[in-house]
Amino acid sequence: MTNLVPPLVQLDADSKSLRDDVRSFLAAELAAGRFVPRVDSWISGWDEEFSRRLGACGWLGMTIPKEYGGHGRSHLDRYVVTEELLASGAPVAAHWVADRQVGPALMRHGTDHQRRRYLPGIARGETYFAIGMSEPESGSDLASVRTRAVKVPGGWELTGTKVWTSGAQHCRAFFVLARSEPLDPDHRHDGLSQFIVELDSPGIEIRPILLLTGQHHFNEVVLEKVFVPDELVLGRPGDGWAQVTSELAVERSGPERILSSLPLLTSYVEKLVEQPGAEEVRMVGGLVARLLTLRQLSLSIAGGLTDDTSVDVPAAVVKDLGTRFERQVVETVAEHTATAPDPDAVDNLSRLLAEGVLHAPGFTLRGGTSEILRGVMARGLGLR
Amino acid sequence: MTVDQATAMPDAEDLRDLRQLACSILDKYAADALTAPRQALPFDDSLWQTLAASGLTLLSTPMPAGGSGAGIAEAAALISATAEYAAPGPIAETDLLAAWLLTVAQLAVPDGPLTSGTCEVAVSEADGGMVRVAGTADRVPWARDCDTFVVLGSTVAGEVVIRLPADRCSIVPGHNVAHEPRDAVRFDLDLPRESVVPVNSGLAREWLLRGALARSVQTCGAMESALGLTIEHASQRIQFGRPLGRFQAVQHLVAEAAGEVTAARAACEVAVRTAVQDGIASPAGELAVAVAKSQSARAADVVSRVSHQVHGAIGFTLDHRLRHFTLRMLAWRGEFGGARDWERRVGAFALAAGGDLWPLVTSGRPDPAS
């Protein structure tokens, strides 16, 4: 049998009380008007106060050990918290990359110094990170990055340009994937390294790139001979490719690959309850059936993370199916509702639908396009 | 009138052993049977006897009734394996439907293949303390190969389970697109009163849920095999100087199919687990089965399309095994309710949850009132 995903997991009773706590917190936040639910809130909802309140609850850096300021909890516990936040459309963008990716990467590859320097702030919801993988000439073909790292006394000097750098204007630092040895055409994945680059370093220029919504989330970050001390090299020089591959697996498998458009579906169903038509009920049933299934697959990968198995193929499966579902929610609601999408509407459904339409093109691109993912799956099936 | 069943999932290792036992039997059967260039895979009595001798034909039927006393999880593992080999015969129907109805009605479970259908039944008093029953059950799987039919009849006075001797019914042959028997069973006969047992009205729903779960699991089994053949073909067939699987367009097709199989398999696993833990007729069981049937039926479209597309003309003929699996999944996706039917059910659960769609997703437990 061709089993592309780890065994399914069942959440235990403890996770229920954790979930209840998160729900109570979110209900209180909503009641106090401290956030407005958004589509794609892990991109669109930058709210540092909210992130700090989450940190105070112990819901950031959950899998980081206590000695580094984290909470030593399981990936499944973190999953419960993040899926609740996303489902409610809460503003989680500020801490998102730091909590999801940078914390685990520092635990896997980082030095004790690096961990002590960043992890406590990440767990408090105060230290934000971005990722510097893509470049103007390197999108899906990540191994072609041109940013160069040149060895200098006491460290490295980085020169190049990174794009789609989320929230760089607010972040303390970002991971930069750079070529630290000349390209060997036969071994393109060799000679790449990751560096922790503090964004207030001399030689860095940050320029906004606006989303379709007009929001300033992405940036172009230009590095001109930026000095990075040896102590901020991530792992061993030359291990960059293996590091980003394992980071991407984490990045691709989470609930944000399923739930980005859920606030729109919830809002639609709330309205549909008043006057449900038979076709609309079936359509909602089709979406909910898919959602229940995809959530189980995504959870199984969080279970797989716990067991420290390789998840690049399963993560590709979940992201391909999950982001198609996110898109399908937007398309189906747009097709079935009489409400016109308006980004500035007071009406929730109208606004969320507009946000859905404007964010949907990104669902199946970011973190690896569906086409790249299908290549990863084909490899997992033995076709390449 | 309830049948006690286990509420804990069996060990994965036990399920693997069971699967291995089934596969060792099915391997021998399939070696020749699947290559014959004919439409139908006829009922194979020697295969049936071998499965029966290993205790596999009445797997989830309680021991006092002559079964093996396992649960739905074991039954699902078996019918998944039999579907992977396209094994002919009413394997799911015998255990999960017919023997289950007989056990609930406290009727004896006879040896041999059994099948089951539902229909309206006219019941009247007959001479000598007998009861006259008349009706027609349509599209009864493998009826022509069974000695006993178990009908879940709806009458003006409620539901009844009827054990019908095949030799006193008339059969109008019919088939599904995989050329499996789906016969009409007509009956109009006098039976001893004890062969017509009134049962509670929830049974029809559970019968449908059991059938839908069985077909979902079988569809997954057929999809696994079709996908396996497709990957094999794409790896071996050379065109333009390289294997088909080296072409990105082909890779993407196969990946799409594999993703759908993965999703459907997960939905079925959850449905089986929920059926074991909560009962298949519980609201959680019904939701999980509805999800499994919709996902497996939708996946069947994709997997059959992709498999045939990748195989080219050879898969479109009786010269190739592929059809056993693609045609079965296409037949099974609509039996016991198709994707749209079950999506309506899921939608009704979702709307009953009102503004609380998300808690329904995380708990998988609809409000019992809906």
Side-chain angles (χ1 to χ4, degrees), chain A residues 1-2 4-5 8-10 19 23 83-84 87 259 262 265-266 269-270 272-273 276 279 281-282 284-286 288-293 295-297 317 321 324 371 374-375 377-378 381-384, chain B residues 19 84 224 227 231 234-235 245-246 251-252 254-256 258-260 262-263 265-267 269-270 273 277 287 291 294-295 298 340 343-344 346-348 350-351 354-355 357-362 364:
Chain A
M1 287 203 294
T2 44
L4 291 177
V5 291
L8 298 188
V9 298
Q10 217 170 352
R19 188 184 298 285
R23 282 185 186 165
E83 72 171 350
E84 288 297 323
L259 300 178
L262 190 73
L265 181 61
T266 309
V269 171
E270 278 168 11
L272 186 64
V273 170
E279 175 52 24
V281 173
R282 187 211 61 77
V284 166
V288 171
R290 192 65 162 176
L291 173 58
L292 278 157
T293 305
R295 179 173 172 271
Q296 292 293 337
L297 292 177
V317 177
L321 294 173
R324 263 193 289 154
E371 290 67 31
R374 288 187 177 187
M377 289 163 69
L381 294 166
L383 285 182
R384 31 179 301 223
Chain B
R19 186 184 154 76
E84 284 167 50
E224 295 278 2
L227 181 62
I231 291 168
S235 306
R246 296 273 165 190
Q251 288 174 3
H252 289 191
V254 177
E256 182 191 4
E260 291 300 324
T262 304
R265 177 65 79 192
E269 274 186 47
V270 171
R273 186 176 78 194
Q277 292 175 346
L287 174 63
V291 169
S294 85
Q295 296 300 290
R298 298 263 175 221
R340 293 179 66 86
E343 285 168 6
R344 270 186 218 109
V346 177
L351 264 80
L357 181 62
W358 178 244
L360 173 69
V361 171
T362 55

Side-chain angles (χ1 to χ4, degrees), chain B residues 329-354:
Chain B
M329 68 181 84
L330 290 173
W332 293 340
R333 69 178 167 174
E335 295 181 350
F336 297 94
R340 293 179 66 86
D341 300 309
W342 289 106
E343 285 168 6
R344 270 186 218 109
R345 194 70 198 106
V346 177
F349 279 132
L351 264 80

Side-chain angles (χ1 to χ4, degrees), chain B:
Chain B
M1 270 203 329
T2 56
V3 180
D4 288 337
Q5 287 202 310
T7 53
M9 282 292 283
D11 288 344
E13 204 174 316
D14 292 345
L15 288 178
R16 254 197 310 276
D17 290 348
L18 171 67
R19 186 184 154 76
Q20 253 167 19
L21 170 64
C23 290
S24 68
I25 296 170
L26 294 161
D27 269 328
K28 293 192 192 87
Y29 159 78
D32 295 328
L34 299 193
T35 54
R38 59 186 177 207
Q39 281 173 282
L41 288 175
F43 180 74
D44 185 315
D45 192 55
S46 77
L47 173 63
W48 187 271
Q49 295 305 334
T50 312
L51 291 170
S54 298
L56 298 177
T57 50
L58 291 172
L59 206 44
S60 72
T61 304
M63 282 195 249
S68 303
I72 283 186
E74 290 87 346
L78 173 74
I79 60 173
S80 172
T82 56
E84 284 167 50
Y85 290 85
I91 294 162
E93 290 82 355
T94 295
D95 183 39
L96 285 173
L97 297 176
W100 166 70
L101 281 178
L102 291 173
T103 311
V104 170
Q106 297 182 315
L107 293 167
V109 178
D111 288 337
L114 306 170
T115 190
S116 177
T118 58
C119 64
E120 288 184 5
V121 178
V123 180
S124 53
E125 294 294 319
D127 295 341
M130 304 281 272
V131 177
R132 186 169 192 86
V133 291
T136 301
D138 284 322
R139 302 203 70 75
V140 178
W142 302 96
R144 71 191 68 169
D145 299 301
C146 299
D147 294 332
T148 304
F149 311 138
V150 184
V151 166
L152 179 59
S154 69
T155 76
V156 285
E159 287 177 21
V160 291
V161 170
I162 309 170
R163 187 176 55 196
L164 290 171
D167 55 8
R168 294 175 62 199
C169 303
S170 70
I171 288 181
V172 183
H175 300 95
N176 65 20
V177 290
H179 224 79
E180 291 183 308
R182 296 293 184 261
D183 303 327
V185 172
R186 289 184 186 155
F187 55 94
D188 184 356
L189 71 168
D190 295 350
L191 287 174
R193 194 168 297 276
E194 56 270 21
S195 289
V196 183
V197 181
V199 289
N200 76 46
S201 61
L203 228 50
R205 199 176 63 121
E206 181 164 351
W207 184 87
L208 185 68
L209 288 167
R210 284 170 161 263
L213 178 60
R215 288 295 185 264
S216 303
V217 170
Q218 289 172 300
T219 300
C220 283
M223 291 194 295
E224 295 278 2
S225 291
L227 181 62
L229 289 173
T230 301
I231 291 168
E232 193 181 311
H233 184 75
S235 306
Q236 292 172 357
R237 170 81 168 164
I238 310 282
Q239 291 287 280
F240 304 100
R242 46 183 172 153
L244 291 181
R246 296 273 165 190
F247 291 91
Q248 247 185 15
V250 176
Q251 288 174 3
H252 289 191
L253 276 179
V254 177
E256 182 191 4
E260 291 300 324
V261 175
T262 304
R265 177 65 79 192
C268 282
E269 274 186 47
V270 171
V272 168
R273 186 176 78 194
T274 311
V276 169
Q277 292 175 346
D278 299 63
I280 195 169
S282 68
E286 182 166 1
L287 174 63
V289 169
V291 169
K293 193 68 167 79
S294 85
Q295 296 300 290
S296 59
R298 298 263 175 221
D301 289 352
V302 176
V303 176
S304 58
R305 166 173 59 77
V306 166
S307 300
H308 279 293
Q309 191 69 16
V310 172
H311 274 83
I314 184 80
F316 184 55
T317 68
L318 293 185
D319 287 343
H320 200 284
R321 291 186 294 161
L322 178 65
R323 72 183 187 289
H324 293 304
F325 307 106
T326 53
L327 296 181
R328 274 168 182 73
M329 68 181 84
L330 290 173
W332 293 340
R333 69 178 167 174
E335 295 181 350
F336 297 94
R340 293 179 66 86
D341 300 309
W342 289 106
E343 285 168 6
R344 270 186 218 109
R345 194 70 198 106
V346 177
F349 279 132
L351 264 80
D356 283 342
L357 181 62
W358 178 244
L360 173 69
V361 171
T362 55
S363 71
R365 292 172 185 280
D367 181 351
S370 58

